[in-house]
Amino acid sequence: MRITFMEKAPLLSVQNLNKCYCPAEGNVVKQVSFDVQPEEIFALLGPSGCGKTTVLRMIGGFEPPESGCIALNGRVLVDDRTWIRPEKRGIGFVFQEYALFPHLDVRANVMFGLHHLPKSERPKRTEEMLGLVGLQKLAHRMPHELSGGQQQRVALARAMAPKPQLILLDEPFSNLDAVLRNETRDELRTLLKEAKMSAILVTHDQEEAFSFADRIGVMQEGHLEQIGTPEELYYEPHTLFVAQFLGKTNLFFSEAHGHVANSPVGNISLKHATEGGVLVALRPEHLDIQLVANTDAVHAEVIAKAFRGHDITYRLRQNGLEFWVHTDNRRHFKVGDRVSVNPVEPGVVLKKATENTDTN
Amino acid sequence: MKNQRHTPFWLLSAFLTVVMLLPLLFLLRNAFRSDEGALTEVFSARTWALFSDTSLLIAAVVVLVVILAFPLAWITTRTNMPGRKVLTWLAVLPLAFPGYVMAYALLAIGGDYGMSAQLLGVAVPRLTGFWGACIALTFTLYPYLFLNLRTALLGLDPAIEESARSLGMSVQKSWFRVLLPQLRPALLAGSLLVALHVLGDFGVVSLMRYRTFSFVLYQATEMSNAAAVALLALIPLTMTMFMLWLEARQLRGLRLDTSSRATKRRFRLHEMGGFKGVFFLISGLMTFLTVVLPLLCVGFWALQQNDTTNLQDLLISLWTSALVAWPAALGAAFFALLLAYRSVRHPSRYTRIFERLSYMGYATPPIVFGLAFVAFALEVLPFLYQTLVLLIFAYIFHALAEAIGPIRSALFQASPRIQEVARSLGFSGFTAFRKVTFPLLKRGLLMSMAFVFLSIMKELPITLLLAPIGFESLAMNVWQYTANANFSAAAPFALTIVLISSVFVGLLLYREKA
């Protein structure tokens, strides 16, 4: 169940952020703006080197931006005249490599940030946090005696212990194995939601962003390309990059006439009316295929099939154009079968139509 | 929108610049006052011979030190060799012998009245000149490279070598393609350290009577032509600059910490197999030559000594040596921490310049450094000339680079992320440093203070040039008596230096283990 928060004042507001490490190489972060609502989990998604970690470090206060403004709860953290030091921001940070204090045991690591509490209350809060992440029994272990998953939970408990309003997570799952990753992800989401904390997750894994975040900002080469809920981004990508980065997509050069586009696989309806040559994106599961008996009819040929458990991916060719179709796992076709193709959902017109016809 | 406060660093840097560069500038000015006589005296075939003799000694010692230190460092960190701990101990122990004590021991063994002649009745020839200097320097300097390599070897991430193996590389190949390149910074830095020591050495070459720049410059201070001395001093100074430039070029842009540093696994140890015997033999022989024999020699001569006034002198010079070594060690570690922190965490062109500058005091041959301080003090601060304050300051800036090394290495290994976490948990920059980075630097700081204390306790040439009248350190006594071939009078002082240094070497190793 996802909720929209638009009516509330944002917790974090980032406006026109720019960052440049080296003038010769240009800005690594360009005019990035977004808001994070109270209790919202936001993800910055993009390929490595797109500037997402730099944005996170600027919010945390570990890098000064060239220009732009960051505000938390209406309090300016950074703008042209202001610089609030990281320790004054009250923002938690979990690093990719966890960065546990190697000279302190688990308990001391978690207690580290509780200096604002009276001495007598610190152990209680520490125990509470250790209980929350299930590490009471390992309280006296040193960081090097812990597994990756355990270290991750210590890092998290340590960041959450002082109850920051916002936690920044820099690829926190990337050092975990796949099973542990899914488990930890769900656990962490539940923990954050129960604690009513907001979080920003930085990741290059779209599946991770989809299942973890309430809203996602997709970044490429320093730009924020699009912000939206996972569903919005998946079903209505604005650009070619977003369409392709968030899973398989079919791209068709088409002639648009109002709400209909003439594509090589037939007419595709469009959500928003437009005219002229456009690039239409359509998800593979939004195409339906049927066997055709009559070989004279317009048809596509099945050229590859991949059984994926809960669904099947077919690769088809029609008029020299190749594309994908997902069907449920009960609909079997053979390689070489002739099939008719019918779009079952409206297509999306991408903003920047390029000559690229690669349908990855 | 400033997130860094630069002021303390800039103040410190300005201070350092003044203390480091001003004396050398005065030396330079003196050199430019050379008249024709001074010029012809310096630009002569004798100077060229001096240059080639000095270079020859440097090359020979560096090669021998690498041959000795490298296998030893690898074996004590990466193999299952029994007694690795003891071997490490023994390999560091020569640090307790300053060059001139080693030279003393070598000199006092041979000859018609040497220990060998008196104990065994066999008069072995006395080792002097090139080979005497070369052997004495190799024996005393190889622990420096050994320690450098050991620290580097222990700091490597096993995953990197294991990756090489998984990519189909044999152990031997991964040695050359992966291990050596990773050790390159340590190997280079260690070799440079050794080379600079040889260039700057005064004690050994003066006692062995092998003419290098340091020896000749010291003799020349007794002459009146200050301009010629200054001009001649510029040659070893230039050689030093060249070596520093070489190192700077080689080490530029190297960052050796890996992301998983704080939690890395230990190395699997290699089987020594059949090489154990051979290695025991070699290391046994080395221990005998570098530790047992000099100790035996010093002990033998100390027993020949039964003059009690000598004992009283001993206590006095022990007290005076320690009195100046402590503040110097503390001061050097403090400055080194400030400089190293800045240059590791916020590297820029300026931090590199200032770090180079700190190396200057150490790399500059001590005789040249001392001469520069004399020239500077005489003209600018005459009231400080021949005072302990000037001596301690000279010591601090002479030893600063020695103090920076271990702190720098420790800083490289403490991930900057750790301090950022502490800041995100609400601690100011300084508190975050004190609470999480500092504990990780403790070992490095201790190492650096011990190193400085050690080197000051046994420091000779700067003390000779700058000490107040009547100030007689342990080192000065050893050198003076040995130069006069009074081996029995020198022995108690030499023995004391060795004992004090041993305590610190022991402490150093004990802390490293803990």
Side-chain angles (χ1 to χ4, degrees), chain A residues 179-196:
Chain A
V179 179
L180 202 57
R181 196 179 307 175
N182 289 336
E183 232 170 73
T184 319
R185 198 155 69 199
D186 296 345
E187 260 177 46
L188 176 51
R189 192 178 150 80
T190 315
L191 277 177
L192 288 170
K193 288 295 176 191
E194 279 172 1
K196 299 186 186 305

Side-chain angles (χ1 to χ4, degrees), chain A residues 60-100:
Chain A
F62 303 124
E63 303 282 351
E66 245 58 53
S67 62
C69 172
I70 302 173
L72 184 71
N73 256 340
R75 170 190 179 222
V76 173
L77 300 180
V78 187
D79 65 13
D80 292 340
R81 282 158 303 162
T82 320
W83 171 261
I84 304 291
R85 282 178 278 162
E87 65 269 22
K88 304 284 180 206
R89 295 190 178 196
I91 296 177
F93 208 116
V94 177
F95 286 94
Q96 185 174 6
E97 60 265 40
Y98 314 140
L100 299 183

Side-chain angles (χ1 to χ4, degrees), chain B residues 154-175:
Chain B
L154 289 174
L156 294 182
D157 189 341
I160 295 172
E161 252 168 285
E162 285 164 6
S163 314
R165 297 295 301 284
S166 75
L167 293 169
M169 220 176 254
S170 66
V171 186
Q172 290 80 5
K173 244 189 164 173
S174 78
W175 242 73

Side-chain angles (χ1 to χ4, degrees), chain A residues 100-136:
Chain A
L100 299 183
F101 305 129
H103 60 299
L104 301 176
D105 67 7
V106 168
R107 204 162 170 278
N109 261 284
V110 175
M111 211 188 298
F112 192 88
L114 297 178
H115 48 99
H116 59 284
L117 292 179
K119 269 222 162 75
S120 55
E121 285 175 35
R122 292 177 202 173
K124 189 171 151 270
R125 176 75 182 146
T126 307
E127 292 311 316
E128 192 185 321
M129 285 315 298
L130 286 174
L132 217 53
V133 295
L135 285 173
Q136 299 105 314

Side-chain angles (χ1 to χ4, degrees), chain A residues 97 167 305:
Chain A
E97 60 265 40
I167 287 195
K305 171 182 179 180

